[in-house]
Amino acid sequence: AQSVTQPDIHITVSEGASLELRCNYSYGATPYLFWYVQSPGQGLQLLLKYFSGDTLVQGIKGFEAEFKRSQSSFNLRKPSVHWSDAAEYFCAVAFNQAGTALIFGKGTTLSVSS
Amino acid sequence: EAGVTQFPSHSVIEKGQTVTLRCDPISGHDNLYWYRRVMGKEIKFLLHFVKESKQDESGMPNNRFLAERTGGTYSTLKVQPAELEDSGVYFCASSPLLKVEQFFGPGTRLTVL
C-alpha cells in the first residue's frame, strides 16, 4: 500500500542549529511531494513542493528539501532554526495527477530550545 | 485573495448529537477535499468534490457522515449522530481543477463528549 513515513515524532533543536526532518514514501513511481507546516492555532501552510526537475527545492521561511529517488526520501532541511519554527511538520505525497487525495505522514513536532 | 475558511473553529457536542461543519474554498477552485486528523494519527482523506459532484468518497468512515457541495461553492460535512471516535480536527482543502497543490483551511476541532 502507498504510505508516507515520518520516523521522528518529536525533535528538539537549539535555536541557530541546523534541522533535518525525515520523510520516506512507499510507491513504485515518483510521486508529487509536499511539506506542510502547522503552527499552533493555525492551518496547514505549504512550505515547498517537488514535482519534477531539480531535486533540491527551495521553499518559504528558509526551508529546503531534497528528493532522493534511490532512497524514496524527501527530507526537509533548514540551516539555522529560529524559535518561530516551532510547529508540527507534515510530509505529504500525491501519487497521481491533479484531483487526487494527499497521503500524509504522522507529522513531526519541532521544539526549539534557547 | 481570501484563503480557505472553515466554520466553526471549535465544536463541542454530546454523543448522539448532530454537527455540521462548513468549508468555503478559495474562489474559483473546483476541487474541494475534506480530511480528518484523529489525535495521535495521521491526517486522512475523507472525500473529494469536483464542483458539486463527489469524485471520491472512499475515505468516508461510515454513513453517519454526509458531505454536500450544492452549487459547487461551499461544502458542508454533517455528522449524525456523532460518536466519541469522531473527535478530531477536520480540514478542508481546495485546488484549481488541474492542479495538484492543495490549499488548506485552519481546520475545525470537533470534540464529542
Side-chain angles (χ1 to χ4, degrees), chain A residues 34-77:
Chain A
F34 306 87
W35 275 98
Y36 285 88
V37 61
Q38 185 178 25
S39 300
Q42 304 296 312
L44 292 167
Q45 182 181 22
L46 181 67
L47 282 176
L48 44 76
K49 60 192 177 189
Y50 173 79
F51 291 173
S52 64
D54 192 346
T55 56
L56 183 64
V57 294
Q58 303 296 321
I60 62 172
K61 303 184 179 185
F63 285 90
E64 66 178 26
E66 185 173 13
F67 168 59
K68 292 186 177 180
R69 185 190 308 274
S70 61
Q71 299 176 17
S72 298
S73 68
F74 188 55
N75 294 348
L76 182 71
R77 301 194 295 246

Side-chain angles (χ1 to χ4, degrees), chain B residues 10-20 64 79-87 109-113:
Chain B
H10 294 83
S11 180
V12 180
I13 61 173
E14 303 260 333
K15 175 184 172 181
Q17 290 185 322
T18 297
V19 64
T20 300
R64 295 185 293 104
V79 185
Q80 179 182 31
E83 298 289 345
L84 299 178
E85 63 265 25
D86 301 332
S87 295
R109 180 173 296 278
L110 174 64
T111 302
V112 182
L113 302 176

Side-chain angles (χ1 to χ4, degrees), chain B residues 22-35:
Chain B
R22 173 171 170 144
C23 169
D24 286 80
I26 293 172
S27 178
H29 283 194
D30 289 331
N31 288 311
L32 187 149
Y33 307 83
W34 283 98
Y35 293 84

